[in-house]
């Protein structure tokens, strides 16, 4: 576990059971970004009565401390994950909103070419792929959306 207590003390904050529960949930789901509502549901199983507002405040503090980072997806939903020092990309299901992690980064090669071929200073990049997860595909949701002309990027 991240030395949460030390980081909190450096900011004049205490380690509470709520903060510890939120971090445990995030660490147990490393590599899988979670929405605040999902974090709340899982943390509340450990600490019944924990409020969603407490989760949001804890996520904000953890972001400030560099313990977690927000994951920005085109759907506009808020996701968070533990900063693991490993660069990731994501696939988001446009039907159920599920998110899967892509561990491989092929964009870095493109960024290197841009850096060497221009005076543009690339500092970071992100990639999200959108489509249908396996479960939604098996349910035939993708076919129904295609017939109706729905889904992101549909012409």
């Amino acid at each position: 576990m991240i030395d949460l207590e030390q980081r909190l003390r450096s900011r004049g904050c205490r380690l509470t059971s709520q903060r510890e529960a939120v971090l445990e949930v995030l660490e147990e789901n490393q590599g899988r970004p979670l929405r605040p509502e999902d974090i709340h549901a899982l943390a509340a199983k450990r600490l019944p009565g924990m409020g969603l507002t407490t989760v949001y405040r804890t996520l904000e503090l953890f972001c400030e401390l560099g313990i977690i980072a927000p994951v920005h997806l085109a759907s506009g939903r808020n996701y968070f994950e533990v900063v693991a020092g490993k660069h990731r990309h994501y696939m988001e299901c446009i039907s159920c909103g599920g998110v899967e992690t892509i561990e491989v980064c092929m964009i870095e090669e493109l960024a290197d070419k841009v850096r060497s071929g221009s005076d543009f200073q690339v500092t970071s990049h992100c990639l999200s792929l959108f489509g249908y997860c396996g479960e939604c595909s098996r349910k035939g949701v993708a076919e129904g959306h295609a017939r109706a002309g729905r889904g992101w990027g549909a012409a």
Side-chain angles (χ1 to χ4, degrees):
M1 182 184 268
I2 294 168
D3 190 1
L4 179 59
E5 191 168 9
Q6 182 181 351
R7 288 191 188 191
L8 288 168
R9 267 195 253 142
S10 74
R11 290 281 307 266
C13 299
R14 295 181 308 114
L15 175 60
T16 64
S17 56
Q18 291 91 345
R19 290 173 178 158
E20 199 166 25
V22 168
L23 183 61
E24 286 173 0
V25 165
L26 286 161
E27 286 185 329
E28 288 169 3
N29 290 279
Q30 257 190 15
R32 182 177 155 234
L34 296 173
R35 296 177 307 147
E37 297 81 7
D38 299 327
I39 296 165
H40 173 254
L42 293 168
K45 288 179 182 176
R46 301 162 196 254
L47 289 173
M50 177 188 273
L52 183 57
T53 302
T54 299
V55 171
Y56 273 102
R57 287 183 184 143
T58 300
L59 294 172
E60 183 178 337
L61 176 62
F62 287 179
C63 283
E64 291 171 9
L65 293 172
I67 294 169
I68 66 170
V71 174
H72 302 286
L73 298 170
S75 67
R77 294 181 180 117
N78 293 320
Y79 290 87
F80 295 88
E81 69 179 352
V82 172
V83 173
K86 189 173 185 181
H87 183 74
R88 294 186 179 107
H89 296 290
Y90 305 94
M91 297 178 288
E92 185 174 8
C93 180
I94 60 176
S95 178
C96 71
V99 177
E100 296 180 32
T101 303
I102 304 169
E103 297 289 341
V104 176
C105 177
M106 296 180 194
I107 295 178
E108 196 57 44
E109 185 179 332
L110 173 61
D112 288 341
K113 287 181 181 181
V114 169
R115 285 184 196 101
S116 65
S118 73
D119 62 352
F120 189 82
Q121 219 175 15
V122 177
T123 58
S124 67
H125 66 269
C126 62
L127 170 72
S128 295
L129 301 176
F130 303 95
Y132 299 94
C133 67
E135 187 174 338
C136 288
S137 292
R138 283 188 291 281
K139 290 179 182 175
V141 172
E143 293 168 14
H145 280 201
R147 281 193 299 277
R150 296 190 339 230
W152 298 340

